[in-house]
Amino acid sequence: MAAEPINNYTDDNIKTLEGVQHIRMRPGMYIGRLGNGNNPGDGIYVLLKEVVDNSIDEYAMGFGKQITIDIEDNHVKVRDFGRGIPLDSVVKAVSILNTGGKFDDKAFKKSVGLNGVGTKAVNALSQDFYVCSHRDGTCSWARFSCGELTGSGKEPTKEKNGTLVEFYPDPAMFKEFHYNMDYVETMVKNYSYLKKGLTLTLNGTPYKSENGLLDLVNENLSEDPLYAPIHLEGEDIEIVLTHGNGIGENIKSFVNGQYTSDGGTHLAAYREAIAKTFKDFYKKNYAPEDCRQGIVGAISIQIQEPTFEAQTKVKLGSVYMWEKPDKGEHGQTIRSFVNDFLSKNLDNYLHMHMDIVPVIEEKIKSSQQEREEISGIQKKTRERNKRANVYNRKLRDCRFHYNDKVTEKTQEDIERSSIFITEGDSASGTITKARNANYQAVFSLRGKPINCYKESRKKVAENEELNLLVSALGVEEDLENLRYNQIIVATDADDDGMHIRMLVLTFFMKYYPDLIRRGHVHILQTPLFRVRNKKANRYCYDQDEKQKAIKELKTGIEITRFKGLGEISSDEFQDFIGEDMRLDLVKISDEESISDIMAFYMGDNTPDRQLFIRQNLRSEKELDDIDI
């Protein structure tokens, strides 16, 4: 008798996922990564933003001047005072995909969410979800659990018109999650800057801006600018810019009130237009990077039916200010819109404020002089490296970037691309064997890199290791050419490993701070302990996890303390750098001074730093002590 086929493919294999089932099965398609709240891009913040976006859109259409947001024990409440969801559509508006009022541009002309997914994703991914719409003395409510309707009804109300949404993210989806209120506060502040006159109250604290993006830039300046920020406003566009003495560019970008942390077409247009306007004004062919060096600014535009490169809406993909693809019609390109606005208004401003003209040009000239000097040194260093063929030995690239000939790269591919920066043959060998070679690259340092805080820029430019690292990242000319979404510093959990980590981070903070500001730089967490018996292995990242594992495994316990990445086998290490790898995001808030941070951590020893170390350092004995 013939063996039955192992893999039958019949009509029974064809499935149709109803309602929000698809969201629960493929959450990454709708909210990006899940996460536990340690990263501002984690899904729980996307859920919050999707609800607040709806309230913001009501205000943008002229309804409601207040939004109240309360978060307690990870339970979220958002109440606006807009028009409220039409009463007979409450259930379907939050549960049926591709259903919503924003497909009709008569009701919402320039909103953030237009695909009918946002609130449905919140509903589907929440253990408890409640919505109540108040309209002219009647409220319509509905309650859900994991996207399934558990109750609904209508009743009289004395409350003002508007919508209340309450939700608690599903712990089955978001493991051991928590809301970091610093991230939430930043989100709320950004909303207030973008919607002048709107009051957002977060846990009882009101946030309101009278000067828009000018307030954002002024309140977040960590150092005195070279001149007072330039604030330009027009129909559907608002721009702020100034220069400081820092390295790189610090530009915030927004679309329809949405913070686009990864920029997009509007940010690219802004960067291009700034350089072009300065070159035209001074009638000199200054390099764009010199015109933008040290710039601090922001841009916000309003467009109809924006297209983002992912559901999380962190990068604008739209080419035109408005578009009707079904009719083959579109408006002005975003590029020309931004360029026309800046070339006219920035030029006018410079002619009216001649006192800042020489200040800006001096900044451009000094950037040019330094760049040309450093560029020559770096070029010689790179040529020397190529002749020695060192590059190929230090970078083990991923297939995603082999020869840079892959042209069809999806957004998911881009977001998954990573490079581990590690030190030593043992650690790099372990990670190289354990990695997913499709998306994960490994760069191996040789010993400790130089302390960039203490060395001159010329000395740093001559450094072989750091030049090779910059080449591997692809950011020699422009950060927009960054080859990996995640830069992951992976060092041993000992004194040398911590020192190497600080030296690498100092390099990024001093010369490539925007990589940190844009959320690309991370620290890899690896387990400090393995607790096992004959039946199970538990990997523990701190003492609390270790004690929990000891209690659960109970008898016949063997405990291993990992001090180096090379001590962990590549088979084990696969579990620590997979889809659920633990990463600590390296963060610099705008109001923090990078120079002050580096001086504290990397300068000459001071009593303050010694006190900090004594108060925060955990000794090897503390880590190795076992309480059974």
Side-chain angles (χ1 to χ4, degrees):
M1 180 181 293
E4 187 145 63
I6 295 175
N7 226 349
N8 286 330
Y9 178 51
T10 69
D11 290 328
D12 293 335
N13 298 113
I14 306 300
K15 305 292 183 184
T16 299
L17 297 178
E18 300 293 339
V20 293
Q21 292 175 325
H22 190 263
I23 299 176
R24 288 187 64 80
M25 181 172 287
R26 299 285 186 268
M29 292 178 60
Y30 299 91
I31 65 165
R33 61 174 171 265
L34 292 172
N36 64 1
N38 287 337
N39 189 299
D42 285 347
I44 61 171
Y45 303 108
V46 179
L47 301 186
L48 172 61
K49 186 176 67 61
E50 291 289 358
V51 175
V52 178
D53 280 348
N54 289 336
S55 299
I56 293 291
D57 288 339
E58 280 293 308
Y59 175 77
M61 292 300 295
F63 302 93
K65 295 183 179 181
Q66 295 184 10
I67 299 172
T68 301
I69 305 167
D70 292 296
I71 302 177
E72 184 177 357
D73 296 330
N74 296 321
H75 184 273
V76 180
K77 293 183 181 180
V78 179
R79 172 70 156 99
D80 68 42
F81 298 90
R83 291 166 290 185
I85 302 170
L87 299 181
D88 292 333
S89 300
V90 168
V91 172
K92 64 182 182 181
V94 298
S95 62
I96 300 178
L97 291 179
N98 302 314
T99 301
K102 297 176 184 178
F103 296 108
D104 180 2
D105 62 10
K106 295 177 182 177
F108 293 89
K109 291 184 178 179
K110 293 173 183 175
S111 62
V112 174
L114 291 166
N115 53 15
V117 172
T119 311
K120 289 81 167 175
V122 183
N123 184 358
L125 300 175
S126 294
Q127 185 181 72
D128 299 301
F129 180 91
Y130 174 79
V131 57
C132 183
S133 174
H134 301 272
R135 268 199 163 196
D136 304 324
T138 302
C139 72
S140 177
W141 60 272
R143 191 176 296 278
F144 298 78
S145 178
C146 301
E148 298 294 330
L149 182 66
T150 60
S152 63
K154 287 183 183 179
E155 55 194 59
T157 181
K158 293 183 179 181
E159 291 201 28
K160 294 180 180 179
N161 286 0
T163 302
L164 168 67
V165 173
E166 301 182 26
F167 67 93
Y168 182 82
D170 185 1
M173 291 283 182
F174 307 95
K175 307 294 185 183
E176 299 181 356
F177 74 92
H178 67 284
Y179 278 96
N180 182 319
M181 295 309 296
D182 288 340
Y183 296 158
V184 178
E185 183 183 17
T186 297
M187 180 191 304
V188 170
K189 283 183 176 180
N190 284 341
Y191 280 125
S192 71
Y193 296 135
L194 292 160
K195 300 297 178 184
K196 289 184 288 187
L198 172 65
T199 299
L200 298 104
T201 302
L202 174 61
N203 286 352
T205 301
Y207 296 89
K208 184 178 181 180
S209 171
E210 299 295 344
N211 302 300
L213 291 186
L214 182 61
D215 287 341
L216 181 153
V217 171
N218 277 329
E219 291 176 18
N220 291 316
L221 285 170
S222 59
E223 300 169 3
D224 291 337
L226 298 180
Y227 53 92
I230 300 170
H231 188 203
L232 305 173
E233 294 183 272
E235 185 176 357
D236 295 331
I237 187 169
E238 181 180 2
I239 280 173
V240 178
L241 68 92
T242 185
H243 280 87
N245 286 314
I247 294 174
E249 305 167 23
N250 184 8
I251 306 172
K252 295 287 192 300
S253 63
F254 304 85
V255 178
N256 294 11
Q258 163 69 33
Y259 173 44
T260 43
S261 57
D262 284 352
T265 51
H266 59 320
L267 179 58
Y270 179 48
R271 297 175 71 240
E272 178 185 337
I274 288 172
K276 183 179 184 302
T277 303
F278 283 142
K279 288 165 64 177
D280 290 346
F281 180 85
Y282 291 110
K283 296 180 173 58
K284 295 177 183 177
N285 192 28
Y286 290 127
E289 56 266 42
D290 296 325
C291 295
R292 297 191 298 259
Q293 182 69 272
I295 203 161
V296 180
I299 175 173
S300 172
I301 65 171
Q302 304 286 322
I303 66 176
Q304 290 192 21
E305 302 192 20
T307 300
F308 296 94
E309 293 192 4
Q311 171 61 19
T312 48
K313 303 169 187 168
V314 294
K315 187 172 185 179
L316 181 67
S318 298
V319 175
Y320 302 102
M321 294 297 291
W322 62 266
E323 186 175 13
K324 295 180 179 179
D326 56 327
K327 297 182 179 180
E329 300 175 356
H330 59 75
Q332 186 179 12
T333 65
I334 292 172
R335 180 183 180 187
S336 63
F337 173 74
V338 174
N339 187 73
D340 289 350
F341 176 81
L342 265 178
S343 62
K344 175 183 177 181
N345 292 279
L346 179 55
D347 183 83
N348 288 343
Y349 187 95
L350 293 174
H351 278 99
M352 294 172 62
H353 299 79
M354 294 300 292
D355 56 314
I356 70 170
V357 169
V359 176
I360 296 175
E361 187 166 31
E362 178 58 32
K363 172 63 179 177
I364 295 174
K365 287 180 177 179
S366 65
S367 297
Q368 179 186 45
Q369 181 179 351
E370 184 177 39
R371 178 184 57 80
E372 290 175 348
E373 179 182 358
I374 298 303
S375 179
I377 296 171
Q378 290 176 327
K379 184 177 180 180
K380 291 179 181 178
T381 304
R382 283 196 293 268
E383 288 299 321
R384 185 173 67 247
N385 291 339
K386 288 179 181 178
R387 287 196 299 271
N389 198 28
V390 178
Y391 181 84
N392 289 334
R393 296 206 303 267
K394 301 190 71 63
L395 175 67
R396 297 170 177 88
D397 213 344
C398 52
R399 296 189 184 99
F400 181 61
H401 278 310
Y402 280 173
N403 301 321
D404 283 329
K405 290 181 180 178
V406 181
T407 55
E408 295 183 5
K409 298 177 181 178
T410 67
Q411 185 64 24
E412 184 178 4
D413 291 333
I414 295 170
E415 291 177 358
R416 292 175 67 183
S417 61
S418 306
I419 182 169
F420 294 94
I421 301 173
T422 189
E423 186 273 330
D425 295 336
S426 179
S428 62
T430 297
I431 296 179
T432 300
K433 292 177 183 177
R435 66 174 173 151
N436 181 334
N438 288 319
Y439 303 101
Q440 296 176 329
V442 181
F443 184 90
S444 179
L445 294 167
R446 186 180 67 243
K448 294 181 180 180
I450 63 173
N451 184 345
C452 296
Y453 175 73
K454 294 184 176 181
E455 299 292 350
S456 67
R457 191 170 186 188
K458 179 180 179 182
K459 186 73 175 288
V460 173
E462 293 171 339
N463 185 264
E464 176 184 282
E465 294 283 303
L466 297 179
N467 264 282
L468 292 173
L469 176 58
V470 170
S471 295
L473 296 176
V475 295
E476 296 122 313
E477 303 297 333
D478 198 312
L479 290 189
E480 300 303 316
N481 299 328
L482 178 66
R483 302 174 73 239
Y484 310 94
N485 183 48
Q486 296 183 116
I487 302 168
I488 303 170
V489 183
T491 58
D492 291 341
D494 59 14
D495 291 345
D496 282 343
M498 296 302 105
H499 191 206
I500 291 169
R501 175 190 299 180
M502 289 302 299
L503 291 169
V504 173
L505 295 183
T506 300
F507 172 65
F508 286 134
M509 280 193 290
K510 188 168 184 179
Y511 295 111
Y512 297 94
D514 285 356
L515 290 177
I516 297 177
R517 292 191 184 105
R518 296 182 186 183
H520 292 297
V521 183
H522 305 263
I523 301 295
L524 176 67
Q525 289 188 36
T526 52
L528 290 174
F529 310 98
R530 179 181 61 212
V531 181
R532 66 182 178 184
N533 59 19
K534 292 181 179 180
K535 295 182 179 180
N537 278 350
R538 297 290 175 82
Y539 297 97
C540 310
Y541 289 76
D542 56 35
Q543 277 281 12
D544 291 338
E545 289 188 17
K546 183 183 75 171
Q547 296 306 322
K548 183 179 179 181
I550 290 171
K551 290 178 181 178
E552 291 177 352
L553 297 184
K554 296 180 180 178
T555 60
I557 293 173
E558 174 190 308
I559 299 176
T560 302
R561 160 81 163 98
F562 296 122
K563 298 182 181 180
L565 303 184
E567 296 178 358
I568 307 175
S569 71
S570 56
D571 289 339
E572 287 179 295
F573 212 86
Q574 285 179 338
D575 296 331
F576 313 136
I577 59 173
E579 294 293 333
D580 297 323
M581 67 176 160
R582 299 194 192 186
L583 297 175
D584 288 332
L585 178 69
V586 179
K587 304 182 294 292
I588 303 174
S589 63
D590 288 321
E591 62 268 19
E592 289 181 300
S593 167
I594 291 178
S595 59
D596 289 346
I597 293 172
M598 290 191 295
F600 182 82
Y601 287 104
M602 303 305 293
D604 294 330
N605 268 340
T606 64
D608 287 342
R609 190 169 71 210
Q610 291 171 353
L611 177 63
F612 174 84
I613 293 172
R614 283 196 296 269
Q615 291 175 340
N616 292 275
L617 182 67
R618 301 188 70 177
S619 68
E620 283 293 319
K621 185 177 185 303
E622 287 180 288
L623 289 173
D624 291 337
D625 279 345
I626 301 170
D627 302 321
I628 301 179

